[in-house]
Amino acid sequence: MHKDIQRRDVFYVSDGTAITCETLGHVVLGQFAFDVNEKTFPFVETEDKVCELIKHIQHAYERDGVKPLVFFSMVVPGIRERLLEAPAFFYDVLESVVQRVAEDTLMKPKPKLQRSRSVGKDSDTYFDRISAIEYTLAHDDGVSLKGLEHADIILLGVSRSGKTPTSLYMAMQFGLRVVNYPFIAEDMKMLRLLPEFEFHRHKLFGLTIDPERLTQIRENRLSGSEYASTEQCEQEVNTIESLFRREAISYINTTALSVEEITTRVLEKTGLKRRLF
């Protein structure tokens, strides 16, 4: 009998960044109840790298007596064949889709190493994304309110409601320039928008969160502080939601949402165009 059948080792492997493998793997494995021990191996392009990877897979198999799950994407035939010799269950994240597209278009695919993330001819869009990330970092947590005319969206909310991770995800994945601003005690007392935001109302979007969850998050950061108290969290959430309603600012509750889900809902509600890379 396997000693730990409720836990599986999962490897995400690619001769590129492995982001596609991770994304698909997370979606698929989210449908199953077992725990996963995840490891990512990007840029497996050489014989030495695939041999080192196989050692890790072999070790996991010998340790638990259970074949690991490997989500992979490989375009170099020799490296791919070598990988498939390892004791694991393999899932090619592109094979079935590529084959279907080839059949439907009557065209043969021309595999190219790291095609999905290369700069090359798409250097303009690549550097646009870098610029978006730099802009978003410079406007994180209310650090700067200059250049708001260049923002695609301005996220508002209380401290620790998910603004920063959402902002960075939107910048990194979609090339959006995001400003995020945390409402502090002085803002709460006045219960009004800053003058800087009045000229960019169409870009404003709010994030809120259940007070109980906010208390838990803040307790992990500053345990026992007034900042993390139940009363303070309830007061801040109630105040900010009142402001959103009064100023007709669209907002969503982030309590049970992942960063990916928050971003998707924000884009859906605002109609912002996704800039894919």
Side-chain angles (χ1 to χ4, degrees):
M1 179 180 294
H2 300 315
K3 61 182 180 181
D4 194 8
I5 196 65
Q6 296 305 315
R7 175 182 173 278
R8 301 298 291 260
D9 283 276
V10 177
F11 293 82
Y12 302 114
V13 181
S14 178
D15 46 24
T17 63
I19 291 175
T20 300
C21 299
E22 288 180 320
T23 300
L24 181 62
H26 291 162
V27 172
V28 172
L29 295 177
Q31 313 301 311
F32 299 90
F34 54 77
D35 295 327
V36 296
N37 177 33
E38 300 173 308
K39 298 178 182 178
T40 301
F41 289 80
F43 305 113
V44 180
E45 310 161 303
T46 65
E47 184 72 19
D48 289 342
K49 288 184 177 180
V50 76
C51 287
E52 183 63 26
L53 167 60
I54 290 174
K55 290 179 182 179
H56 286 276
I57 296 175
Q58 183 74 39
H59 174 72
Y61 174 62
E62 294 176 351
R63 183 192 63 223
D64 297 335
V66 179
K67 286 186 177 182
L69 310 181
V70 179
F71 292 84
F72 76 101
S73 173
M74 293 282 186
V75 299
V76 180
I79 301 298
R80 185 181 190 279
E81 291 168 6
R82 184 74 177 90
L83 173 64
L84 295 177
E85 295 174 4
F89 295 114
F90 292 96
Y91 310 96
D92 189 327
V93 303
L94 297 179
E95 184 176 40
S96 61
V97 177
V98 171
Q99 183 59 37
R100 284 290 304 278
V101 172
E103 293 172 355
D104 292 341
T105 63
L106 301 179
M107 296 178 66
K108 290 185 178 181
K110 297 179 179 180
K112 180 179 178 181
L113 193 62
Q114 301 175 32
R115 179 191 297 271
S116 63
R117 293 289 169 177
S118 60
V119 178
K121 65 179 181 180
D122 296 322
S123 59
D124 289 343
T125 57
Y126 174 80
F127 289 113
D128 279 346
R129 178 169 58 161
I130 297 302
S131 177
I133 294 171
E134 291 175 343
Y135 178 93
T136 300
L137 287 172
H139 293 80
D140 178 46
D141 214 24
V143 170
S144 173
L145 294 180
K146 296 181 179 179
L148 294 184
E149 65 274 13
H150 301 301
D152 292 301
I153 188 170
I154 302 170
L155 298 180
L156 307 176
V158 299
S159 173
R160 316 310 293 180
S161 58
K163 299 181 305 303
T164 292
T166 301
S167 297
L168 292 176
Y169 184 84
M170 294 175 79
M172 294 175 68
Q173 295 298 319
F174 301 113
L176 296 173
R177 289 167 170 77
V178 186
V179 174
N180 83 73
Y181 181 83
F183 279 85
I184 59 177
E186 288 303 313
D187 299 317
M188 296 294 178
K189 291 178 182 178
M190 294 183 289
L191 191 58
R192 66 175 178 83
L193 292 177
L194 297 180
E196 292 89 340
F197 295 146
E198 290 289 350
F199 299 102
H200 302 281
R201 279 180 167 270
H202 62 290
K203 298 181 180 180
L204 302 179
F205 195 92
L207 301 183
T208 187
I209 188 172
D210 290 350
E212 297 80 6
R213 178 56 181 155
L214 184 60
T215 298
Q216 293 174 351
I217 295 172
R218 290 184 175 182
E219 274 290 333
N220 290 332
R221 186 175 179 85
L222 290 173
S223 179
S225 65
E226 180 180 353
Y227 166 78
S229 69
T230 300
E231 294 77 11
Q232 179 68 21
C233 291
E234 288 180 347
Q235 187 270 329
E236 289 187 23
V237 170
N238 290 337
T239 300
I240 196 66
E241 289 185 359
S242 295
L243 175 65
F244 291 156
R245 290 191 294 269
R246 191 191 73 191
E247 301 292 341
I249 298 172
S250 296
Y251 67 95
I252 61 173
N253 188 306
T254 66
T255 303
L257 302 178
S258 66
V259 172
E260 295 86 350
E261 290 171 321
I262 295 171
T263 298
T264 299
R265 296 192 184 196
V266 171
L267 295 183
E268 179 184 18
K269 286 181 174 291
T270 60
L272 276 175
K273 182 179 180 181
R274 300 167 182 250
R275 299 169 188 160
L276 302 178
F277 300 93

